Amino acid sequence: MEKLGNKKLDMQKLLAPLALVILYVAFSIIGGKKFFSVDMVKNILESSYYIGFMAFGVTFIIITGGIDLSLGTVMMCAALLGAYTFKQLHFPLIISIFVTLLVGTAFGFLNGNLVARLKLPPFISTLGTMMMSQGIGSIITKVQSQTWPTATEPVGGWFKKVFIRCDLFGIKAFPVGALWLVAFFIIASMILHKTKFGRYTFAIGSNEEAARLSGINVDAWKVAVYTLSGFFVGMAGLMYAAAYTTITPGTGNGQEMNGITGVVIGGTSMAGGSGTMVGTLIGVFIMSVLKNGLSAVGLQAPWQTFFTGLVVIGAVLLDIQRTKAANRVKKS
Amino acid sequence: MGETILRMHGIQKYFPGVHALDNAQLEVRSGEVLALIGENGAGKSTLMKILTGVYTKDDGVIEYFGEQIEINSPKDAQDRGISIVHQELNLMQDLTVAENIFIGREPSKGLFLDKAKQNQMAQELLDSLHLHISPTTVVKRLTVAKQQMVEIAKSLSFNNTKVLIMDEPSAALTESEIEDLFVFIRRLKATGVGIIYISHRMDELKEITDRITVMRDGQYVDTVDTASTPMEEIVKMMVGRTIYEEPKSQSNVAPDAPVILECEGLVSDDVKNVSFKLKKGEILGFAGLMGAGRTETMRLVCGADKRDAGTIKVNGKEVKIHSPKDAVAAGIGYLSEDRKRFGLCLGLSVADNTAMAALDSLSGPIFVSDKKIEARAQEYVDKIRTKTPSVKTLVRSLSGGNQQKVVISKWLLRDCDILIFDEPTRGIDVGAKSEIYKLMNQLAAEGKSIIMISSELPELLRMSDRIMVMCEGRVTGELDIAEATQENIMTFATKREVG
């Protein structure tokens, strides 16, 4: 019985990487040269940065059995306010970067308190902060688009070089962002799989009441989980800013789905209590290959939205099947 | 007594690792009340679940009015006139009696519900059962006993019920309510319905049942006439090869042993001024009927619920317990009766569950040490002989008794000196039970202090050094093991008003 269960789990571990390869090959066949190019790989990488950071953060939340719908708008709000302090208030760039991280972290802290201390359902509280963050960005910037420095700008030209690409190791336009992504992937995995913080994250998601009765201060740890996720969303804001430069108020809605779907495709259960960071990383690349692949084969934004929706449903269906299978083992 | 309506025989049911029913059998006659008794885990509920289509049997025959039938779903059972009234009520509290009875099959006039007709149909049904309940009363305004009768009426309203199963119907009722229930059952019986009555209360069985079928360890033992069989004999059949050792004859605790836990004046909604002392190395039993407030009291002690008043002293010093964290820090570990809900993270490994309360001591400045965790977990697996393929195995795949041992390991690893066992052997098979008993004795001998809540008197008498008896949130008696008997415990447990 148990052997069978493990075998099934192994299959599921293989499923995501397999899907990634199949997707890439499929797009290469349909898209031909256009897809199978260095530029495309760069595009895929660049859009995976911000999705990746969102996904790393929300992986922790989903493993506790929660959800964060405010990812996308908080990311934009953070990037928007960071740019605002840089362009309009003429803060030094480094301070603006700090502001961006702070905005993300603060919203995470707020979410954490709403969920853990005030006992609001995560779905509702983060739906609230989703709209709040979108609103705040627009209010402060008076609905004006804000820009981060481009690579050629004299002030802050290093921003893109540090976060996205620069000539490094003798390679022209080396994707520096990938280094950041990998570095934070390693940090996130270590936190999730090797620290007390991570162990409690799993425990809370697996059985919150049992965790509480074991003497774990569940509420405090939950606030910490949402706050950490908020920091990652702030990082996502920076990566988005560095990749796309211009931030438009009132956007970001729907971006959260890229992150959440990436996590679920990667094998983290919406029911909480199980998941891996590696899975999330692969899930993120699936989302970003899909995004870029669709546009490479000539299907534009509306189609991308449509397919993202489809993938969300597919991923959650898969998750329900997984949970059912796990419960079946439990009963016996 | 009437003809045989239902006969089940040779029933087999396997769950992975457990032979739940082995050649179980049962016969119900028209117009009789058949008691189905047996200890926890004897297979009563599994057999009833097969009869009502919740489980399917792996082998065996069900004959119904002489015809061999298969019951594949709860609807199958219902269509054939086999109904069950569960221990927990399943009524919708905010709907009326009539709405509850006809939920899902409301009479309608065109597009609209026909409330008048529904109420009239309900009234007819209630009248036919001589129940003085108005069909338009909202259910939550009825007493529990009345609600139960509504539930029974509801189950009888399906295509003329022939077999009615009642699962511990008296568990939540007061004495006088039980009388009402019996009047009702007698009336029902007169209409020719065969009733299967599951209960643990011997005195009730004498009063209301005609025959008694005894089950033990998933097997059929015997069926006897209630009137002509002395109760002692029935108890003997239930217990069978005396798995229980003799009750403890005297306390193992020296009279001058230090008091390790002292609770005074604990108060909450369900707990009324409870005080008790626990001595070092003692096993203190807590007896009482369902709803006596034993679990509620212990949840206050371990910080799971907030108390309104009362002090808790550990080793003579008052400790502030506002959360489970505080209680654990004070060395109090609680093993819930519902370990799946309150004790374990089923989806995590044995090692992670064992280490859960003690991660602080098993991690460095940043990282937890999986090596240490697994080593410590293995240590306790060996010490208390938990049967698991490895410490990396998910707790979900262990049997009930071994899951319980994982919870025990968790508190031992945390170095808790006070262990609260709440129904530690519920849902555990007989062999595992005696292992848990052995383990508890061993722990007490090592100087741990144990509180044991149990609803099984023989278990309490066997294990405890002293027994506290509770009723309706109050402590109504305290007995040294030397003087405790089933009888005097029950007297205290039913002592509703105390001066």
Side-chain angles (χ1 to χ4, degrees):
Chain A
M1 190 74 213
E2 197 189 331
K3 249 186 193 155
L4 194 79
N6 282 345
K7 226 180 217 171
K8 261 188 196 159
L9 279 179
D10 286 343
M11 276 292 288
Q12 259 151 7
K13 269 182 198 155
L14 279 177
L15 209 61
L18 211 65
L20 180 60
V21 173
I22 291 172
L23 209 58
Y24 190 78
V25 170
F27 278 126
S28 303
I29 293 167
I30 306 169
K33 253 193 196 146
K34 218 166 131 204
F35 193 79
F36 208 68
S37 65
V38 177
D39 276 349
M40 184 49 75
V41 172
K42 273 186 187 161
N43 281 343
I44 289 171
L45 275 178
E46 275 178 27
S47 65
S48 72
Y49 300 159
Y50 75 92
I51 297 178
F53 277 97
M54 279 196 292
F56 293 161
V58 82
T59 300
F60 288 92
I61 293 180
I62 293 178
I63 291 176
T64 65
I67 190 77
D68 185 355
L69 299 179
S70 69
L71 293 179
T73 54
V74 169
M75 171 181 82
M76 287 303 186
C77 178
L80 200 58
L81 295 187
Y84 178 79
T85 58
F86 175 72
K87 269 279 147 75
Q88 313 294 326
L89 307 180
H90 307 293
F91 281 19
L93 184 54
I94 189 79
I95 301 291
S96 296
I97 288 174
F98 185 69
V99 167
T100 308
L101 294 176
L102 189 72
V103 171
T105 313
F107 268 106
F109 183 70
L110 174 63
N111 280 333
N113 279 286
L114 291 174
V115 171
R117 309 249 184 236
L118 301 180
K119 313 287 176 206
L120 289 177
F123 192 89
I124 302 299
S125 50
T126 60
L127 195 66
T129 50
M130 170 193 202
M131 306 184 86
M132 282 166 61
S133 55
Q134 198 171 359
I136 285 174
S138 300
I139 292 165
I140 291 181
T141 59
K142 305 204 171 57
V143 209
Q144 299 295 311
S145 288
Q146 305 292 322
T147 55
W148 287 80
T150 59
T152 53
E153 247 169 87
V155 181
W158 53 270
F159 182 58
K160 262 183 185 290
K161 282 185 197 144
V162 165
F163 286 110
I164 295 297
R165 59 182 105 89
C166 73
D167 301 343
L168 200 68
F169 308 128
I171 300 169
K172 222 167 165 292
F174 181 84
V176 188
L179 294 184
W180 284 98
L181 191 74
V182 169
F184 274 85
F185 161 70
I186 292 171
I187 293 171
S189 316
M190 295 297 250
I191 295 176
L192 183 62
H193 297 297
K194 292 281 167 218
T195 66
K196 211 164 68 175
F197 182 96
R199 220 43 69 94
Y200 288 165
T201 303
F202 280 106
I204 291 169
S206 180
N207 188 343
E208 187 171 329
E209 189 59 13
R212 190 176 79 94
L213 291 175
S214 298
I216 297 170
N217 191 342
V218 168
D219 292 351
W221 286 105
K222 267 184 162 173
V223 172
V225 164
Y226 279 85
T227 308
L228 176 74
S229 173
F231 170 79
F232 274 99
V233 173
M235 280 299 298
L238 283 183
M239 299 314 273
Y240 188 92
Y244 303 107
T245 309
T246 306
I247 317 291
T248 317
T251 58
N253 214 331
Q255 290 285 11
E256 72 278 357
M257 278 306 156
N258 287 320
I260 294 168
T261 314
V263 174
V264 177
I265 294 177
T268 296
S269 166
M270 294 285 276
S274 72
T276 60
M277 223 21 106
V278 178
T280 294
L281 185 67
I282 294 166
V284 165
F285 279 115
I286 290 179
M287 292 313 287
S288 120
V289 166
L290 191 70
K291 224 168 140 78
N292 289 286
L294 288 171
S295 75
V297 298
L299 295 172
Q300 285 313 312
W303 280 100
Q304 292 172 30
T305 312
F306 173 80
F307 274 108
T308 308
L310 206 63
V311 173
V312 169
I313 291 173
V316 174
L317 264 180
L318 198 70
D319 177 43
I320 290 171
Q321 293 303 321
R322 269 196 305 242
T323 312
K324 257 194 205 158
N327 285 342
R328 216 168 292 141
V329 177
K330 179 164 59 186
K331 261 191 199 141
S332 57
Chain B
M1 211 166 295
E3 41 150 4
T4 297
I5 311 174
L6 172 79
R7 181 179 283 136
M8 301 172 81
H9 54 95
I11 306 288
Q12 304 281 351
K13 181 72 190 172
Y14 300 89
F15 295 118
V18 188
H19 195 167
L21 288 180
D22 180 11
N23 216 7
Q25 68 181 66
L26 184 79
E27 184 196 326
V28 183
R29 297 176 191 157
S30 150
E32 76 161 345
V33 179
L34 173 77
L36 180 59
I37 65 169
E39 293 183 294
N40 289 344
K44 293 167 300 190
S45 45
T46 308
L47 187 63
M48 289 304 103
K49 280 181 176 160
I50 286 173
L51 181 56
T52 50
V54 178
Y55 295 152
T56 48
K57 58 183 164 48
D58 293 329
D59 200 5
V61 178
I62 303 175
E63 280 171 43
Y64 191 59
F65 288 102
E67 177 197 354
Q68 190 170 330
I69 62 164
E70 294 295 325
I71 299 171
N72 295 316
S73 70
K75 194 173 177 308
D76 263 6
Q78 201 138 67
D79 288 346
R80 291 185 186 276
I82 300 170
S83 300
I84 182 160
V85 180
H86 291 281
Q87 196 175 346
E88 310 87 34
L89 299 173
N90 291 314
L91 297 175
M92 275 145 277
Q93 294 288 319
D94 293 302
L95 300 188
T96 67
V97 170
E99 283 165 345
N100 264 291
I101 292 176
F102 294 105
I103 190 98
R105 50 206 172 104
E106 297 84 354
S108 55
K109 230 191 278 170
L111 277 178
F112 301 99
L113 292 178
D114 189 345
K115 282 221 165 169
K117 189 170 173 209
Q118 179 170 298
N119 287 337
Q120 185 207 330
M121 282 161 63
Q123 187 73 62
E124 282 165 15
L125 176 69
L126 294 166
D127 284 347
S128 73
L129 298 167
H130 301 270
L131 288 177
H132 302 290
I133 300 171
S134 159
T136 54
T137 311
V138 175
V139 161
K140 68 180 170 196
R141 301 205 193 291
L142 297 174
T143 62
V144 177
K146 287 265 166 65
Q147 290 189 20
Q148 193 143 37
M149 288 172 197
V150 171
E151 182 112 31
I152 296 167
K154 179 181 168 183
S155 55
L156 292 176
S157 69
F158 291 96
N159 327 326
N160 48 359
T161 297
K162 294 286 187 293
V163 174
L164 180 66
I165 304 158
M166 303 174 88
D167 187 3
E168 303 216 30
S170 61
L173 303 186
T174 63
E175 303 279 331
S176 64
E177 286 174 333
I178 292 175
E179 270 317 305
D180 289 347
L181 177 71
F182 285 174
V183 171
F184 180 63
I185 289 177
R186 288 195 189 99
R187 217 174 270 139
L188 204 57
K189 185 172 126 160
T191 65
V193 174
I195 297 170
I196 302 176
Y197 190 93
I198 301 175
S199 176
H200 288 299
R201 296 187 179 174
M202 290 296 168
D203 47 337
E204 269 178 38
L205 300 185
K206 264 289 185 223
E207 189 174 343
I208 194 70
T209 68
D210 301 301
R211 296 187 307 146
I212 299 179
T213 293
V214 184
M215 290 184 72
R216 186 176 68 225
D217 303 343
Q219 292 175 340
Y220 171 82
V221 178
D222 201 359
T223 300
V224 294
D225 276 327
T226 309
S228 61
T229 316
M231 274 299 138
E232 300 81 73
E233 200 161 303
I234 294 170
V235 172
K236 216 177 277 168
M237 281 196 278
M238 253 169 84
V239 181
R241 50 183 166 79
T242 40
I243 191 78
Y244 293 112
E245 289 162 13
E246 287 300 297
K248 239 185 222 179
S249 53
Q250 66 181 59
S251 169
N252 292 340
V253 185
D256 59 345
V259 170
I260 188 159
L261 173 74
E262 183 173 0
C263 296
E264 230 180 84
L266 299 181
V267 175
S268 74
D269 284 351
D270 305 306
V271 178
K272 295 172 180 119
N273 197 17
V274 170
S275 306
F276 63 91
K277 288 177 188 168
L278 174 68
K279 290 180 181 168
K280 188 171 168 63
E282 184 179 39
I283 299 180
L284 177 64
F286 266 76
L289 299 174
M290 210 177 81
R294 295 169 297 166
T295 297
E296 289 77 2
T297 304
M298 291 312 145
R299 282 181 65 91
L300 300 183
V301 176
C302 74
D305 295 327
K306 294 227 178 316
R307 63 182 192 278
D308 299 327
T311 55
I312 299 171
K313 286 185 194 164
V314 175
N315 287 321
K317 259 187 274 166
E318 183 173 349
V319 286
K320 302 229 175 308
I321 294 179
H322 299 296
S323 71
K325 193 173 181 223
D326 299 335
V328 172
I332 302 172
Y334 174 68
L335 289 90
S336 165
E337 58 187 316
D338 191 347
R339 58 186 164 273
K340 288 185 182 169
R341 255 177 79 201
F342 299 118
L344 292 165
C345 293
L346 291 175
L348 301 186
S349 68
V350 171
D352 279 337
N353 272 286
T354 308
M356 186 159 300
L359 267 192
D360 285 324
S361 66
L362 294 170
S363 44
I366 299 176
F367 297 121
V368 293
S369 164
D370 279 315
K371 236 184 175 171
K372 262 194 218 166
I373 289 176
E374 281 162 22
R376 291 306 302 273
Q378 186 64 49
E379 197 181 298
Y380 283 102
V381 163
D382 296 339
K383 182 178 181 209
I384 66 177
R385 290 179 300 278
T386 313
K387 281 193 207 85
T388 172
S390 104
V391 291
K392 290 183 186 164
T393 307
L394 298 189
V395 167
R396 157 179 302 157
S397 60
L398 302 187
S399 73
N402 287 304
Q403 289 184 348
Q404 190 68 284
K405 286 185 175 181
V406 174
V407 187
I408 297 173
S409 306
K410 173 169 78 180
W411 295 124
L412 295 180
L413 177 52
R414 182 64 178 73
D415 240 352
C416 286
D417 286 328
I418 301 165
L419 298 169
I420 303 173
F421 287 78
D422 193 347
E423 304 280 2
T425 60
R426 176 167 291 176
I428 293 180
D429 64 60
V430 190
K433 262 186 191 179
S434 59
E435 269 205 64
I436 298 275
Y437 295 148
K438 244 185 250 161
L439 182 59
M440 288 173 72
N441 281 328
Q442 182 192 334
L443 292 171
E446 286 170 13
K448 305 273 180 196
S449 309
I450 294 174
I451 290 173
M452 177 190 199
I453 298 178
S454 175
S455 298
E456 293 176 34
L457 292 179
E459 176 172 288
L460 277 176
L461 289 170
R462 175 188 172 178
M463 296 302 299
S464 316
D465 297 306
R466 193 156 53 96
I467 296 176
M468 309 290 295
V469 190
M470 288 185 70
C471 179
E472 296 186 341
R474 292 184 178 81
V475 172
T476 50
E478 180 181 344
L479 294 162
D480 191 87
I481 193 64
E483 52 181 4
T485 62
Q486 298 217 14
E487 290 72 31
N488 59 18
I489 292 175
M490 282 317 289
T491 315
F492 284 123
T494 49
K495 196 169 167 186
R496 286 175 198 278
E497 303 299 331
V498 89

